[in-house]
Amino acid sequence: MKYRFFRGSLKTFARLPLGVMYLLSDLAAFILYKVVKYRVGVVRNNLAMAFPEKTDKERLAIEKEFYRHLCDIFIETIKLAHISDRQIERRVTVKGEEYINGSLDRGRSVVLMLGHFGNWEWVTAAARKFRPGAVSCEIYHPLRNKVFDRIMLDLRSRFGTENIPMAKTVRRLMEIRRDGENFVCGFIADQRPFTPTLKHWTDFLGIDTAYVNGGEVIGTKMDADFVYAEMMPVKRGHYVLTFSPIEPLGDGEENPYTRAYLARLEESIRRSPSSWLWSHNRWKRRR
């Protein structure tokens, strides 16, 4: 009953034109930033650490734009409940799909590495560009609330993408390979590791940063190719999603693909600073 109520309400809201939804997003951003002050301290501290060369005024401008972007992501995710293929085609320009299709043509699977940058929830729209026969999937962390978890799974599977719970990643990907199929699987790999797994560190945005390497470990085990997915905003509600091969760092250190990916993500963030998830307490744990 709760699921049907919230799902129906979401679909009704999603029928609004995006122009109207963005007006509501502006209102939500004002409330979140100026009234509730949602994680303002975390955002401000993260920006100060990542961009010490910028002035207070410059960082404040990024901070303000970030809250607008954050609310836009929320609105655009809801829009997945009622968005046509034609509309998503106009709003997400996909480049570099030939790298993924080339891997599939050679009988290889692909590990997509991306961050909480741009609109990561719309990345699944690119599944329509991949060769038929491969399993398009993404790894996700189930929500505690079962109703909202089910709703998010509905939204994330809008373009036929399979959602794999984090704890079942290896088992499901091995099943796909045993069935004689290849996969294109997205790993959001910029989150803070759980405390017991603070084992791997690198320089990221000029800060000593712990990182997760699960995507690389799994991809290497399954002899997959590694591809970076950059979801760069070009204007409100429009993105360019670019796929490009990840070349491993040749310095002889551990996890060369993951560290190369983080370097690519850093380049993306520096080009569009407000488009990353600064409200995440990324550097809560230090070495």
Side-chain angles (χ1 to χ4, degrees):
M1 180 66 73
K2 287 183 179 179
Y3 167 76
R4 288 198 297 270
F5 171 76
F6 285 112
R7 185 75 172 96
S9 300
L10 203 69
K11 290 192 74 171
T12 299
F13 183 66
R15 289 178 182 274
L16 292 172
L18 263 173
V20 175
M21 296 179 76
Y22 284 133
L23 292 176
L24 297 173
S25 177
D26 287 339
L27 176 61
F30 175 80
I31 294 172
L32 203 66
Y33 183 34
K34 294 296 186 180
V35 180
V36 178
K37 299 186 183 297
Y38 173 72
R39 296 196 174 187
V40 169
V42 172
V43 173
R44 195 162 292 171
N45 185 58
N46 283 344
L47 288 171
M49 289 193 297
F51 300 115
E53 76 283 0
K54 294 186 181 295
T55 65
D56 290 344
K57 184 178 180 180
E58 288 172 327
R59 288 195 295 267
L60 193 62
I62 297 171
E63 178 181 301
K64 182 179 179 181
E65 183 60 29
F66 161 72
Y67 280 94
R68 183 186 192 226
H69 173 72
L70 180 64
C71 290
D72 280 358
I73 297 302
F74 179 71
I75 289 295
E76 290 168 3
T77 300
I78 292 175
K79 190 64 179 177
L80 287 172
H82 189 267
I83 192 169
S84 66
D85 287 357
R86 183 179 178 182
Q87 189 173 16
I88 201 72
E89 187 83 20
R90 287 193 299 106
R91 292 183 172 276
V92 179
T93 300
V94 180
K95 297 182 178 181
E97 65 267 33
E98 65 272 14
Y99 294 114
I100 293 173
N101 289 327
S103 293
L104 296 175
D105 288 342
R106 294 191 299 274
R108 298 177 66 84
S109 292
V110 177
V111 166
L112 289 180
M113 304 186 83
L114 61 150
H116 290 94
F117 181 83
N119 187 337
W120 55 92
E121 297 291 357
W122 278 11
V123 170
T124 55
R128 299 168 299 113
K129 304 284 187 179
F130 303 155
R131 290 276 190 272
V135 177
S136 294
C137 53
E138 61 179 333
I139 310 305
Y140 82 101
H141 193 282
L143 302 177
R144 292 181 181 179
N145 185 299
K146 299 301 181 183
V147 172
F148 287 107
D149 184 61
R150 185 177 173 187
I151 289 173
M152 285 303 298
L153 287 177
D154 287 346
L155 297 176
R156 287 169 173 166
S157 61
R158 162 65 182 82
F159 300 103
T161 302
E162 178 181 341
N163 293 270
I164 303 174
M166 190 180 300
K168 299 179 180 179
T169 301
V170 175
R171 182 170 63 185
R172 176 58 186 138
L173 294 182
M174 289 183 70
E175 286 176 355
I176 293 171
R177 296 307 302 270
R178 280 199 300 265
D179 291 340
E181 298 177 297
N182 290 309
F183 59 79
V184 180
C185 191
F187 287 76
I188 295 183
D190 61 345
Q191 69 270 39
R192 185 182 70 241
F194 295 114
T195 303
T197 58
L198 291 173
K199 300 177 181 178
H200 311 289
W201 298 81
T202 192
D203 182 279
F204 178 62
L205 289 168
I207 306 165
D208 194 28
T209 304
Y211 65 90
V212 294
N213 68 335
E216 178 167 354
V217 171
I218 293 170
T220 300
K221 183 176 182 180
M222 299 191 181
D223 197 27
D225 291 337
F226 294 88
V227 172
Y228 176 51
E230 179 193 68
M231 190 66 150
M232 181 64 70
V234 290
K235 64 179 181 178
R236 199 171 199 183
H238 292 264
Y239 301 86
V240 173
L241 172 56
T242 304
F243 297 113
S244 55
I246 297 176
E247 298 296 335
L249 298 180
D251 56 9
E253 299 295 328
E254 62 178 5
N255 304 310
Y257 285 99
T258 306
R259 291 185 296 111
Y261 146 74
L262 288 170
R264 299 283 293 280
L265 177 60
E266 178 175 334
E267 292 174 0
S268 300
I269 293 170
R270 293 193 181 280
R271 292 207 310 275
S272 183
S274 62
S275 301
W276 194 50
L277 192 61
W278 294 102
S279 55
H280 177 50
N281 198 351
R282 185 65 181 82
W283 294 286
K284 181 178 180 179
R285 301 282 186 261
R286 305 307 291 266
R287 196 193 304 236

